[in-house]
Every structure is written in structure tokens, then in C-alpha cells.
Amino acid sequence: MNDLAGKHIVLGLSGGIACYKAAELCRAFIKAGATVQVVMTEAAEQFITAVTMQALSGRPVFTSQWDARTSAGVDNNMPHINLSREADAIVIAPASADFMAKLLHGRADDLLSLMCLARPLDAVPLILAPAMNREMWAHPATQRNVAQLRADGTTVLDVGAGDQACGETGDGRMLEADELLYDVARFFAPKHLAGQHVLVSAGPTFEAIDPVRGLTNLSSGKMGFAIARAAHEAGARVTLVAGPVGLSTPRGVERVNVRSALEMQRALLAACDQASVFVSAAAVADWRPAQVLDQKIKKDGSGEVPTLSFVENPDILAGIATSPRAQAGALYCVGFAAESHDLLAHAQAKRVRKGVPLLVGNIGPDTFGQDDNALLLVDGHGATELPRASKRELACQLVAEIARRLPAC
Ligand code: C5P
């Protein structure tokens, strides 16, 4: 999905070793559909060349307020005005301690700070990705500046922790390009679910037979993880209860790993009291072996095969959907149905059986493990089709559909 399609970003670089990450960030913005205009301070030019940034952005880089070249198609010798007027956002990455101190005081003695001061406050948001040594980051002066910049309406992103170029270890690293792309895309995403706490279950369950064997299914967890990400981008706090999958946790999402259906039930019940929305995207095993053996079942050469007997797993969704909070409308429950045929009829019947206001149907063999899918949303009023698209896109659409159906607070 082109998360930044149609966006024009002014990418500002101030001086710091993290300038090397700005090259990757520029590419990431462009790959996500944005156009990028790079503006660099003199200090930034000590760390990375304008040649590199021009090659990556496909546009001449501006470094001086006295640069008389045409900027944004205008010949008035005012790049600080022209470049800022056409931006959907100014993203400063890296934002050094010194540059933030400068912004805080409204100083404007170079093109980048001049442009930040001259930008129309309501129309052009300013997003900073700080990068500095841990002592500089922790210093009361920097923390005071960050607090004041935020109070002035600037978005100051988090810093990363870990090894620093100076050899020290701690907070202050600039976030990686993929994390910054995520945060900037999230900044632009409509906040349909602001104030909501969304609980999502995802992936398969694994029902142990003995210490080395078990039963599972082909669910990849991709749809549920995409929903968790989309809900977080839409402004919600998100808790993701995940069966055994190798997917990385979407940024900003709290993840609880589980294995069996019973573990998944425990984790969901523990979290659902705080949640306002529950999306049950997990492919929970219907049955589990009646006994889990302590030792591996051995093949003894006799040709005899073990006999397994099963017990039914609890229906987690149906249990939560009939809880007093869900019945009172404080927890909006969304179920999934993976069917092989007659999707509409099965989805309608399942919605009633599970007692959920919204049920999302999909064709199991067409979705398991795939990066795209097609969804059929069934609620009390009828059915809505979300045509085949990437799971990421469908997740964003589903989140908007859920938000539309939430009871007004
Ligand atoms: O009955 P079926 O497995 O088709 O229902 C699918 C829906 O019910 C999904 O939302 C799934 O997460 C949920 N489910 C559950 N507990 C089970 C089985 C399914 O919560 N034991």
C-alpha cells in the first residue's frame, strides 16, 4: 500500500551521524508514494552530501537561504517561503539537540530553521526525529525543549535505545527508516479509533499431543496483524494476542504470545475487560487432544498406530460476545469466518450463532498464507463486500467500517 501517496514531504537534515539513515528514509518515503524535497543545514553537509540526497530524492537539494535558484517553481529568491508552502509536512531527521534548541526559540539563521518558522502553522505540520548522544538526550535542557516544542504543536517522535556511534549505550538514537516511515504514515492516517482500546486475536493455535508433536492449522496471522497495525494507526491502543507465528509485532502494539486455545482464551479474557473493541481473527482449533503426554510417543516397530481422542475447545469469541460488557454495548465484538463455499449464508448464520454485531467472512483456501484477500462484512443490516486487495489495505478499510458501527460515546 502506498501509505504516503500524494504527500509532498520536505525532509530536513540537521547535523548528526544519523544523517546516514536519512538516505534510507528518503528512499522509504518515495517508495511509499511521497515526493521529497531535501533541505540540509551546513552541519548536515559534514555528514552526508547533497549529491547523495539529490540522487535519492530526484530533486536539487537546498542548503542556503541565499540560494537564488527557482524553488517550487517560483523565482522570488525565497526558498524558505516557497518550499514550505507546498509541503504536506516538514520532517526533520535527524533533529539534533542544537537544532531543536534553535527551533524552540524561533531562531531562523539558516534555511531549514527559517523554513520551519515561516511555515503556515495550521497547514504544514512539523515532525522531528531526534538523534543525539544519551547524555545530551537526557539533559534537562533537551527534555525541557522537547516538552516545549510539543506544547507548541510540534510532533517530536520517540528516540531509539542501544549502541551509539560514540561508543556509549542508551536512549537517543534516531529511529530506523522503517520505524520513521511507520510513524509518519501513522501521523497522516485518519484517527477513526482515537480513544478506543482494540483487542485482536491472530494466527493459529497449537494443540500439543506430546512434547514434540501437535496439531495446528495454516493460518499465517497476516490478517490479524494487519488489523492490529491499522487499529494502532487509527489512534487506538492495541493489544494483540498472537498464536505461534513468525511475524514481527506492529510498531506501538502490545503483544501477548500464546500457543493453545486455552492459553489464548486466558489471555483474551484477561485483556477484554479494558477493551472497547474485540476483533477475533485467530483460527482457533476446534478440538484438542484429550490428553497431552509428558513423553514422546515412540514408534516401537510393531506397526501399531496411536489412537488420539479429542475434547472440544471453548468458543472464545462466543463466550466474550455474550459477556455482560459486550451485551451492554461496552465491548464491540467482530468475528471472522473462513469458509470454503456459500460465504454469505454461512457468515450470516455464524454471526447469529456467535452473537456478534459484525462478522467478516472470507474464503479460507484463498486467504491462508496469502498477502491479499477479499472480505464480506455481514451485520444486522446486510452485507458489504470489500473486494480483493492486500491484507494491509483491507485491514484499513475494516477498521474504518468498525469505527462507523461503534456506538457513539
Ligand atoms: O466457528 P468458527 O471457528 O468458524 O468461528 C470463527 C470465529 O470464531 C473466528 O472469529 C474465531 O476467532 C472464533 N473462534 C473462537 N474460538 C473457537 C473457534 C473459533 O473464538 N474455539
Side-chain angles (χ1 to χ4, degrees):
M1 192 164 108
N2 281 345
D3 290 316
L4 296 179
K7 299 288 183 223
H8 180 65
I9 294 181
V10 168
L11 175 58
L13 281 65
S14 60
I17 186 60
C19 276
Y20 79 92
K21 295 185 188 175
E24 202 60 59
L25 179 62
C26 179
R27 289 190 73 219
F29 280 162
I30 287 172
K31 268 178 99 173
T35 48
V36 178
Q37 172 63 58
V38 176
V39 175
M40 294 168 69
T41 64
E42 207 181 314
E45 286 187 280
Q46 298 291 322
F47 292 92
I48 190 168
T49 66
V51 176
T52 301
M53 297 310 293
Q54 174 171 357
L56 293 173
S57 63
R59 288 172 181 238
V61 170
F62 282 78
T63 56
S64 162
Q65 69 270 45
W66 311 120
D67 192 329
R69 283 176 298 171
T70 306
S71 52
V74 187
D75 273 320
N76 57 3
N77 203 343
M78 294 185 194
H80 64 293
I81 300 291
N82 307 334
L83 298 180
S84 65
R85 295 302 180 270
E86 64 171 8
D88 289 299
I90 299 175
V91 178
I92 313 274
S96 67
D98 179 59
F99 194 76
M100 291 199 299
K102 205 162 161 175
L103 286 180
L104 173 78
H105 290 287
R107 289 184 50 200
D109 60 357
D110 66 6
L111 176 58
L112 191 55
S113 55
L114 186 57
M115 204 181 59
C116 291
L117 193 68
R119 81 189 204 279
L121 266 184
D122 319 331
V124 184
L126 178 60
I127 303 173
L128 307 182
M132 67 201 72
N133 164 268
R134 67 190 174 113
E135 299 290 1
M136 292 167 75
W137 175 250
H139 196 285
T142 304
Q143 290 304 312
R144 204 167 46 231
N145 291 349
V146 167
Q148 187 57 53
L149 282 164
R150 285 184 172 143
D152 290 347
T154 302
T155 298
V156 183
L157 301 177
D158 288 340
V159 290
D163 293 343
Q164 302 204 306
C166 51
E168 298 180 3
T169 305
D171 288 343
R173 287 167 55 95
M174 188 167 87
L175 296 177
E176 302 302 325
D178 59 337
E179 296 170 316
L180 289 173
L181 172 63
Y182 182 93
D183 285 358
V184 172
R186 180 174 193 251
F187 176 87
F188 285 118
K191 297 294 173 285
H192 298 304
L193 292 179
Q196 304 289 337
H197 182 170
V198 178
L199 178 62
V200 181
S201 72
T205 62
F206 178 91
E207 309 298 331
I209 295 171
D210 67 19
V212 295
R213 301 187 184 91
L215 299 168
T216 187
N217 60 62
L218 289 175
S219 167
S220 63
K222 287 178 183 170
M223 193 70 228
F225 275 59
I227 293 166
R229 174 177 175 177
H232 181 253
E233 284 173 339
R237 175 182 163 196
V238 180
T239 305
L240 172 63
V241 175
V245 290
L247 300 175
S248 50
T249 311
R251 197 163 154 68
V253 165
E254 300 157 47
R255 175 173 179 173
V256 182
N257 284 327
V258 296
R259 230 160 68 124
S260 65
L262 291 180
E263 277 179 35
M264 184 171 274
Q265 184 187 38
R266 264 196 301 277
L268 289 169
L269 288 175
C272 73
D273 278 350
Q274 288 87 51
S276 51
V277 177
F278 171 42
V279 182
S280 184
V284 185
D286 291 316
W287 304 281
R288 65 181 183 277
Q291 287 170 338
V292 183
L293 298 162
D294 293 341
Q295 295 188 338
K296 183 183 172 189
I297 306 171
K298 300 296 285 179
K299 188 167 69 175
D300 60 11
S302 68
E304 223 176 281
V305 293
T307 311
L308 296 176
S309 55
F310 292 92
V311 289
E312 196 170 315
N313 273 326
D315 190 318
I316 307 171
L317 173 61
I320 292 178
T322 50
S323 68
R325 282 191 74 238
Q327 293 294 307
L331 176 64
Y332 187 86
C333 293
V334 182
F336 266 72
E339 306 293 341
S340 58
H341 60 286
D342 289 343
L343 188 54
L344 179 61
H346 283 119
Q348 280 170 331
K350 197 160 284 182
R351 188 184 84 83
V352 174
R353 189 148 41 81
K354 302 269 177 182
V356 293
L358 178 63
L359 194 116
V360 183
N362 54 179
I363 298 293
D366 290 352
T367 175
F368 279 7
Q370 306 292 318
D371 287 326
D372 60 359
N373 196 3
L375 302 178
L376 183 70
L377 275 48
V378 176
D379 65 12
H381 302 289
T384 313
E385 268 183 52
L386 301 185
R388 186 155 282 277
S390 69
K391 287 183 176 175
R392 163 114 184 90
E393 259 168 79
L394 288 173
C396 293
Q397 292 175 34
L398 177 60
V399 157
E401 293 282 348
I402 292 171
R404 248 176 6 92
R405 290 169 170 83
L406 292 182
C409 304

